[in-house]
Amino acid sequence: MMKTKMHGERESTSNQHRWLGGFSKILLAIGLLFFVLSPSVFAADTIKPEVTARNGMVASAQPLASAAGLEILMAGGNAVDAAVASAFALGVVEPNATGLGGEGMMVIYLADKKVTTSIDYRSMAPLADMSKVKFPPDGHVSVAVPGTVAGLCLALEKYGTMSLAQVMAPAIRYARNGFIVSDTLASTIKDRFDPISKNDALLAILAPEGLPLEAGQIIRNPDLATTLEKIAAGGPDVFYKGEIADAIAEDMAKNGGYITKADLAAYTAIEREPVRGTYRGYEIISAPPPVGGLSVIEMLNILENFDLASEQPLSPRNVHLMAEAMKRGFADNSAFIGDPAYTKVPVAGLLDKEYARQRAKEIDPAKMTPAVKAGTPPEHPSTTHLSVVDKNGNMVALTQTISSFWGACVAVPGTGIILNNEMQNWSSKGPNSYAPGKRMRTTIAPTIIAQDGRPFVTMGTPGAGRIISTMVILAVNLLDYHMGVQEAIESPRFYARDTEKNLSIEARVPKETQDWLKSIGYSIKEYPDFDLFFGGAQAIVVDLETGIMHGGADPRRDGAVFGF
């Protein structure tokens, strides 16, 4: 396999441009061939082989997005370059879940400086007072100010080595040339076709001949390709202050939406300190409020008080203990997590080990808690995912979303941009209550795990409310049960909320476990063996002794891992 030098400058040589262009066409062909020949990826019934590599790896929710990141790594880019390339590409090839009209959060580890940082590009409420507005599940009123372009551009500017034009090239190519519609993508179009059909601009993308696109057909978005080209040439100001901002504001004004050009111009991505904790001696580094990393660590802190490894992963006791920890973490998430610019989040208190011990003492190993209330943390001073690792040990965990599949079911005419419906995600009261200019809470939780100060896991998942519980399950699978990364991802999932008797599970959870859980009070809600309800995790684990990277991608979506 060809070896390349790491870039130190943003300008590449003409030879590199020629090589990159030729190689990218090969990767595009490989990606399309994968889609044609591998429909069974969406219905796995056995553990797939892990992908291994030494020089770089990308795990994302869609093969072409993984190919985009690999293309950048093989051209000499670092993990941030590749992550930004994959993220822009995901906005094209997984448009039901992410895109320029959405938002996200990423956690970055910089190997040369041995530091970890995070970039918050959560969407923001418009600056106008909407306190009297009832936020609908779709349509222009449901749209919050998008953050994706600002966040990806900030990450690239501060920590990447390539130009915006270089890393956006694969996304532009996919949008203009098109790609094959997968079963997963087709099903999401069908499921939301009623609200989709109410927006002519989105209908033109997803039903160009009047009927919804089906698996095996080609989907193209030439308007989006042109929009991406404008951003690649002019940077984020084109989106937030230039002609794209004009187009968004005009469409909002025509259709009763609230976002203005002033709202777009006011948006900024924010670099934040990640939240940090430990679990059985490993360091957990995750995305800070207003997203879900703090709750992932709190749940793990509670579980640290139980010897999970003494029993099988899906034993009745272990599933019960994890469900009870989830309930307490979700109760505290609802009570305390919000935009830190508008509410004081008791970060240190929720991370406190003694607080976790007290929460763990509430758990009866032989009884289900019907409803769990938030605790009182002590006072202290103070929906797609991708993972990337490069040959120098840099890591990125990045999760993006447009909220519901297809977001607001609104596309901005002439731009190909599909907008989010994040305004539906406010709470009626508490730290996540609405305010103008505020960022709403979400459960996304891109996470990095380190051992003795050396990061070796990057992981994350989409999946709405199931994100936090899935992240806990993945961490336990890797650190308690010592599963391989693909096995950890494919392991059956379950999910419990603080105010529900329901325990949502995949049908592969053993019957004896289900029967015992029912006997102590759980109401079991069973889902198919590998169900989209539980998200689509992607992860990379690095062997710290050999440097070999092991990648896993979720069969619940169109996940794929590429490395070299």
Side-chain angles (χ1 to χ4, degrees):
M1 187 66 71
M2 181 178 291
K3 294 182 179 179
T4 59
K5 281 189 175 182
M6 178 65 74
H7 267 7
E9 301 176 1
R10 295 186 181 273
E11 288 80 19
S12 65
T13 65
S14 58
N15 285 337
Q16 185 184 47
H17 275 301
R18 285 194 293 270
W19 180 86
L20 183 60
F23 184 72
S24 64
K25 293 177 182 177
I26 296 172
L27 277 176
L28 175 60
I30 292 172
L32 291 174
L33 185 63
F34 179 96
F35 252 8
V36 171
L37 298 181
S38 303
S40 62
V41 72
F42 312 119
D45 56 6
T46 59
I47 295 170
K48 294 180 177 298
E50 290 181 358
V51 175
T52 60
R54 185 179 292 275
N55 296 301
M57 179 173 282
V58 183
S60 86
Q62 214 273 358
L64 292 177
S66 296
L70 182 66
E71 177 180 323
I72 297 302
L73 288 176
M74 295 188 73
N78 68 12
V80 175
D81 297 320
V84 173
S86 290
F88 274 119
L90 276 171
V92 177
V93 298
E94 200 187 25
N96 56 302
T98 184
L100 301 185
E103 56 165 52
M105 179 81 79
M106 73 175 80
V107 179
I108 302 169
Y109 172 68
L110 304 167
D112 57 343
K113 299 178 181 176
K114 293 183 171 54
V115 298
T116 312
T117 188
S118 67
I119 294 178
D120 171 354
Y121 51 106
R122 293 283 292 129
S123 56
M124 176 186 87
L127 299 175
D129 184 1
M130 299 175 67
S131 57
K132 304 295 185 184
V133 176
K134 182 178 180 180
F135 301 117
D138 49 60
H140 291 75
V141 175
S142 71
V143 183
V145 181
T148 296
V149 174
L152 297 182
C153 290
L154 176 62
L156 186 70
E157 179 184 358
K158 291 200 70 171
Y159 302 115
T161 65
M162 287 183 162
S163 70
L164 194 55
Q166 284 174 295
V167 300
M168 292 183 71
I172 294 168
R173 187 172 64 243
Y174 297 157
R176 194 164 299 286
N177 296 342
F179 59 96
I180 298 172
V181 176
S182 69
D183 290 336
T184 303
L185 185 59
S187 69
T188 65
I189 297 172
K190 182 179 179 181
D191 288 345
R192 296 209 74 199
F193 195 67
D194 182 49
I196 287 169
S197 64
K198 297 174 183 176
N199 185 262
D200 290 342
L202 185 56
L203 199 62
I205 299 168
L206 303 181
E209 296 180 2
L211 296 174
L213 289 168
E214 297 182 356
Q217 292 184 292
I218 300 295
I219 178 172
R220 295 181 177 87
N221 194 339
D223 285 344
L224 182 59
T226 300
T227 296
L228 290 166
E229 287 171 342
K230 291 174 181 177
I231 296 169
D237 279 356
V238 174
F239 186 92
Y240 292 98
K241 299 176 182 179
E243 59 182 294
I244 299 171
D246 289 333
I248 295 172
E250 180 182 350
D251 189 49
M252 285 285 155
K254 286 181 178 179
N255 293 281
Y258 283 78
I259 295 174
T260 66
K261 195 170 181 182
D263 294 319
L264 291 159
Y267 185 87
T268 58
I270 303 171
E271 187 163 11
R272 300 188 190 274
E273 179 66 20
V275 287
R276 303 171 188 273
T278 62
Y279 181 68
R280 307 203 195 278
Y282 296 94
E283 185 179 9
I284 313 297
I285 308 159
S286 196
V291 301
L294 185 55
S295 299
V296 170
I297 296 173
E298 182 190 353
M299 291 180 193
L300 291 173
N301 281 345
I302 295 171
L303 289 172
E304 198 171 36
N305 294 279
F306 303 96
D307 183 8
L308 299 179
S310 66
E311 295 194 13
Q312 293 298 309
L314 297 173
S315 72
R317 167 187 170 271
N318 278 8
V319 173
H320 169 57
L321 291 175
M322 292 180 70
E324 290 287 309
M326 290 173 190
K327 288 186 174 188
R328 283 153 181 82
F330 278 122
D332 286 348
N333 179 276
S334 297
F336 300 113
I337 306 301
D339 186 338
Y342 288 76
T343 186
K344 183 179 179 181
V345 182
V347 174
L350 292 171
L351 294 175
D352 188 89
K353 293 287 189 180
E354 180 57 34
Y355 176 65
R357 278 189 284 273
Q358 295 304 315
R359 295 295 266 166
K361 287 179 181 178
E362 300 169 6
I363 297 173
D364 185 336
K367 185 179 179 182
M368 185 268 295
T369 311
V372 174
K373 294 181 179 180
T376 307
E379 291 291 333
H380 286 260
S382 34
T383 241
T384 195
H385 178 84
L386 64 92
S387 290
V388 182
V389 179
D390 67 26
K391 64 181 179 181
N392 293 321
N394 299 303
M395 285 187 177
V396 177
L398 180 156
T399 306
Q400 291 186 170
T401 184
I402 52 173
S403 196
S404 304
F405 279 156
W406 301 108
C409 293
V410 167
V412 180
T415 70
I417 298 171
I418 300 169
L419 296 172
N420 69 80
N421 63 334
E422 288 289 345
M423 292 299 287
Q424 67 167 340
N425 291 328
W426 299 111
S427 303
S428 59
K429 58 184 178 179
N432 190 49
S433 59
Y434 161 79
K438 187 176 180 180
R439 298 178 189 224
M440 58 287 296
R441 180 175 63 210
T442 187
T443 54
I444 61 176
T447 298
I448 288 173
I449 302 176
Q451 182 178 25
D452 300 325
R454 302 171 66 194
F456 73 104
V457 177
T458 166
M459 65 182 192
T461 184
R466 279 76 61 195
I467 291 174
I468 293 172
S469 55
T470 293
M471 294 299 289
V472 171
I473 291 170
L474 287 176
V476 168
N477 285 349
L478 292 171
L479 304 180
D480 284 292
Y481 307 139
H482 305 291
M483 293 183 185
V485 62
Q486 189 65 39
E487 181 184 7
I489 287 172
E490 296 195 13
S491 177
R493 301 218 180 117
F494 47 92
Y495 163 73
R497 287 290 309 200
D498 46 313
T499 58
E500 298 175 358
K501 293 183 179 181
N502 280 345
L503 179 66
S504 299
I505 65 168
E506 290 183 314
R508 293 174 294 135
V509 173
K511 186 177 185 300
E512 55 269 27
T513 294
Q514 295 190 41
D515 289 343
W516 185 84
L517 292 169
K518 290 176 184 176
S519 75
I520 65 167
Y522 286 99
S523 176
I524 301 297
K525 186 173 184 180
E526 190 175 274
Y527 287 80
D529 284 354
F530 290 86
D531 198 83
L532 194 63
F533 177 78
F534 292 95
Q538 325 299 330
I540 299 171
V541 176
V542 180
D543 187 316
L544 292 176
E545 292 184 4
T546 66
I548 297 295
M549 304 166 192
H550 300 259
D554 206 319
R556 296 169 182 85
R557 290 200 183 180
D558 301 344
V561 185
F562 292 156
F564 76 110

